[in-house]
Amino acid sequence: MKPWRTVGAFLLGLASCQLPQQESEIAPSIEYVKRPKVEIRLDKVLFNQGLLVSEIENYFLDLDSDSVLHQHDLVQNFYALQGYEPHWIDISDTLQHADFLSILRSSELHGLNENTYHFERLATNLENLSFFYFEAGSINYQLWAESEILFSDALILLAKHFKYGAFDPLNCENYHYFISSDHEILEPFQVFYEKDLSSFFENLLPSNVHYKSLQNEFAKRLETPENLRTSKDVDTLNVLRVNLERWRWNSLFADTGRVVYVNIPAFEMLVFEDQSLLLTSKVCVGTKRPRDYASQLEDYKKNPRLHKKPAHFETPIFRDDISYMVLNPLWNVPSSIAKKTILRNIQKDSNYLSKMGYLVYSGSEQIDPHSVDWESVTMDNFPYRFQQPAGDQNALGKMKFMFPNRFAVYLHDTPTKRDFSRQNRAVSHGCVRVENYMELALILLSDMPKYDLDHLRKAIGLDKKTDQEMKTINLPLKSTTPIIIDYKTAWLDIDGNLQIFSDVYERDRLVLDALGR
């Protein structure tokens, strides 16, 4: 068995769009200590480091090297700064080379492709180099140089992929992803100065329990030999790969403190406190964008004068902080909904506005809806705005939970309770409707004892005995609570059972293609 195979076992626990932080001109932040130029006399040959230095420099003059290396300019910059001296290669240290290969191979346990990191080529190179030295009694400096450079390219790239992910949704228009990573910046040459590479790479990965549990599930399922895997096994592994990648995009899900977590494909909201599950609730999320959205968007980009920018209502992915609640909210209807949905309903039923309790405004003036010839109104000449007062018909229900953001998305109750019985609950215009809204309110108000269940029920009219008008109340929270609206199609529940959810916005394929199927 080859040495790089034998040492792989101890690392089993270590477990396209453009990457962020693609630095190419950054000098190392730690002073590089050059290795002395010495000749090492071994049993059969004389190792000349000067020849190796020349071959490393010559490698970058070869036009083919640009297509082989993932980060040609970055790697060349490093070696140029060091006078093209080798950093990794030591002809007498075959165990170290095996350790490098084991680290590269551990990428497979995290859903990445080991050959993205030159694994097979490096394994073959080192086998050939061992043959040349131990049996042929000669040194192939060109092969040593290539292996030195491929190790650098591979380890830098793997560090970035472990730290940030291999696919950047921020650069993909179709992904609708807005969480910016709060990772500490990874210096491009940091990998060269680590004494314990195994620990270094392990520490780059997400530390939260959800990533670790999903990764353990993936590694366990990998144990089934390829020739025994069913198509369902392959599909499950691919879904796990995709979701491991999603966890690497940000480190916003902490293992401590309270967090409200909405998972779009699961149509579910979870509230955690120090990893204890406080609440589970069904939710409704935004409808899927139309199938011809991409072509509509291209038409708009080519000629905005002729084509309108297409709208879609997919719930965005982002993180914020819930800072206040609104009891008995008013609903100021967004222009897009007014033009596309409400106008159509009015033209079907002239009494629609009065039935639903909408007020109509022209500018700041409230007008009689019956004074408008709605048949002559179109989306292009729409001067009105609608407001729905608080009440049982209000589309926002009895409460909304606010975390001001650029998408005007929030959590809220709904009078349309029947939607919670649907299997596919992608039915909203982007906001998140919460079935167990009262339970969520009590958790958020747990440090404000005045606002107990009885108080809230009276405030929102659940215990009212008369038809008094409901007063809209803005209720600031004593302490904010982080909320993450996310997109995970695989999840391990509290009992350790793997849950696979429908890819409601059809995004898994984008990630899987970037990872390499």
Side-chain angles (χ1 to χ4, degrees):
M1 182 175 288
K2 303 297 185 297
W4 50 85
R5 309 289 185 186
T6 60
V7 299
F10 85 95
L11 282 172
L12 287 177
L14 175 70
S16 112
C17 291
Q18 191 178 9
L19 277 166
Q21 289 84 30
Q22 291 285 348
E23 303 93 342
S24 59
E25 300 297 332
I26 302 178
S29 57
I30 305 174
E31 184 178 356
Y32 180 82
V33 180
K34 293 185 177 181
R35 294 186 178 184
K37 292 185 177 181
V38 296
E39 292 183 350
I40 305 173
R41 182 172 294 279
L42 300 172
D43 292 342
K44 299 182 180 179
V45 296
L46 188 68
F47 179 74
N48 188 320
Q49 185 156 315
L51 294 178
L52 179 56
V53 168
S54 296
E55 289 296 343
I56 292 174
E57 184 173 9
N58 290 337
Y59 183 89
F60 294 105
L61 300 177
D62 187 343
L63 295 179
D64 290 339
S65 66
D66 197 21
S67 61
V68 173
L69 300 179
H70 297 289
Q71 302 159 115
H72 181 280
D73 294 344
L74 180 63
V75 175
Q76 183 176 19
N77 185 37
F78 174 80
Y79 283 101
L81 288 170
Q82 316 312 326
Y84 294 99
E85 291 191 23
H87 182 85
W88 308 110
I89 292 298
D90 182 342
I91 196 171
S92 63
D93 194 352
T94 56
L95 180 60
Q96 175 177 266
H97 306 152
D99 289 350
F100 294 161
L101 285 174
S102 295
I103 290 171
L104 299 181
R105 193 164 214 186
S106 73
S107 63
E108 291 276 348
L109 298 177
H110 295 270
L112 300 167
N113 188 331
E114 64 183 22
N115 286 318
T116 301
Y117 316 102
H118 313 299
F119 177 82
E120 288 296 340
R121 187 161 182 169
L122 280 165
T124 300
N125 279 9
L126 293 184
E127 185 174 9
N128 289 334
L129 289 172
S130 296
F131 169 78
F132 285 136
Y133 171 65
F134 291 109
E135 297 188 31
S138 62
I139 294 179
N140 185 330
Y141 290 100
Q142 186 176 8
L143 204 56
W144 274 115
E146 179 186 86
S147 301
E148 163 74 26
I149 294 164
L150 291 182
F151 270 132
S152 293
D153 188 56
L155 292 171
I156 291 174
L157 186 65
L158 182 60
K160 287 184 177 182
H161 287 182
F162 272 16
K163 184 74 171 177
Y164 306 116
F167 167 84
D168 186 0
L170 293 172
N171 288 342
C172 291
E173 194 168 57
N174 289 335
Y175 207 87
H176 208 200
Y177 177 94
F178 301 98
I179 296 179
S180 295
S181 171
D182 68 346
H183 290 297
E184 294 179 0
I185 298 300
L186 176 67
E187 294 288 345
F189 300 151
Q190 187 174 338
V191 69
F192 291 96
Y193 308 107
E194 296 295 330
K195 293 182 179 179
D196 185 348
L197 280 179
S198 297
S199 296
F200 169 70
F201 277 94
E202 184 176 9
N203 292 333
L204 293 175
L205 293 160
S207 60
N208 71 71
V209 67
H210 299 287
Y211 179 85
K212 290 182 176 179
S213 61
L214 203 66
Q215 190 272 325
N216 287 335
E217 181 72 16
F218 179 74
K220 180 179 71 175
R221 290 173 180 265
L222 270 185
E223 293 174 1
T224 302
E226 286 189 40
N227 62 330
L228 298 180
R229 292 174 193 165
T230 65
S231 59
K232 184 178 180 180
D233 292 333
V234 173
D235 290 343
T236 299
L237 285 171
N238 283 335
V239 173
L240 289 169
R241 290 180 68 205
V242 165
N243 287 279
L244 287 171
E245 172 70 3
R246 287 183 173 127
W247 279 115
R248 290 189 288 266
W249 293 344
N250 66 77
S251 57
L252 299 176
F253 200 114
D255 284 341
T256 58
R258 181 190 298 163
V259 63
V260 176
Y261 185 81
V262 175
N263 188 8
I264 294 170
F267 307 116
E268 188 174 57
M269 179 193 73
L270 306 172
V271 182
F272 293 97
E273 182 86 52
D274 297 332
Q275 287 304 308
S276 294
L277 184 61
L278 301 183
L279 176 65
T280 300
S281 175
K282 292 179 179 179
V283 298
C284 297
V285 298
T287 55
K288 183 184 181 301
R289 69 184 69 185
R291 290 198 175 275
D292 61 346
Y293 177 83
S295 61
Q296 288 185 41
L297 187 61
E298 284 303 312
D299 290 341
Y300 167 77
K301 288 179 178 178
K302 290 176 182 177
N303 198 332
R305 294 182 180 179
L306 294 179
H307 301 280
K308 294 179 181 179
K309 186 175 183 178
H312 70 79
F313 300 114
E314 290 183 358
T315 298
I317 302 170
F318 67 106
R319 179 212 180 278
D320 217 297
D321 294 289
I322 302 174
S323 56
Y324 70 100
M325 295 166 47
V326 181
L327 310 184
N328 308 311
L330 301 172
W331 187 37
N332 292 304
V333 181
S335 176
S336 60
I337 299 175
K339 292 178 181 180
K340 289 193 172 184
T341 304
I342 294 183
L343 177 59
R344 183 174 62 247
N345 290 335
I346 297 170
Q347 292 172 342
K348 290 180 179 178
D349 180 357
S350 60
N351 293 317
Y352 175 79
L353 291 173
S354 57
K355 286 179 181 178
M356 300 304 296
Y358 287 105
L359 305 178
V360 183
Y361 291 86
S362 178
S364 59
E365 180 184 359
Q366 183 179 343
I367 64 173
D368 180 356
H370 294 291
S371 67
V372 178
D373 178 11
W374 292 106
E375 291 299 324
S376 65
V377 178
T378 68
M379 291 175 59
D380 295 325
N381 67 347
F382 192 91
Y384 307 108
R385 62 184 180 88
F386 301 129
Q387 184 185 79
Q388 195 178 36
D392 292 338
Q393 289 182 311
N394 189 283
L396 305 184
K398 299 293 187 179
M399 290 183 192
K400 63 178 180 176
F401 305 86
M402 301 302 293
F403 36 101
N405 57 83
R406 60 178 170 138
F407 316 109
V409 165
Y410 40 85
L411 308 184
H412 65 87
D413 175 33
T414 176
T416 316
K417 307 297 186 185
R418 64 180 180 274
D419 285 339
F420 293 118
S421 63
R422 293 171 177 259
Q423 184 174 2
N424 182 335
R425 295 192 287 277
V427 295
S428 82
H429 287 93
C431 287
V432 178
R433 305 173 191 171
V434 182
E435 182 177 44
N436 297 334
Y437 70 94
M438 183 65 79
E439 291 86 342
L440 174 61
L442 291 172
I443 290 173
L444 297 178
L445 294 166
S446 59
D447 55 357
M448 300 171 67
K450 171 184 175 182
Y451 297 97
D452 59 12
L453 179 60
D454 288 341
H455 183 103
L456 290 177
R457 287 183 62 86
K458 290 176 182 177
I460 63 177
L462 293 182
D463 292 339
K464 68 181 180 181
K465 298 181 180 179
T466 64
D467 292 331
Q468 79 269 22
E469 183 180 353
M470 289 292 97
K471 181 181 178 182
T472 298
I473 302 171
N474 285 347
L475 180 57
L477 298 176
K478 185 175 181 179
S479 56
T480 63
T481 295
I483 177 168
I484 299 173
I485 300 180
D486 208 354
Y487 195 95
K488 297 289 195 306
T489 51
W491 185 271
L492 263 71
D493 63 23
I494 57 174
D495 297 319
N497 299 315
L498 177 64
Q499 305 290 328
I500 302 292
F501 306 116
S502 174
D503 182 15
V504 62
Y505 292 162
E506 297 181 0
R507 295 179 178 176
D508 281 6
R509 179 185 53 79
L510 291 172
V511 184
L512 191 59
D513 287 347
L515 294 175
R517 290 177 181 267

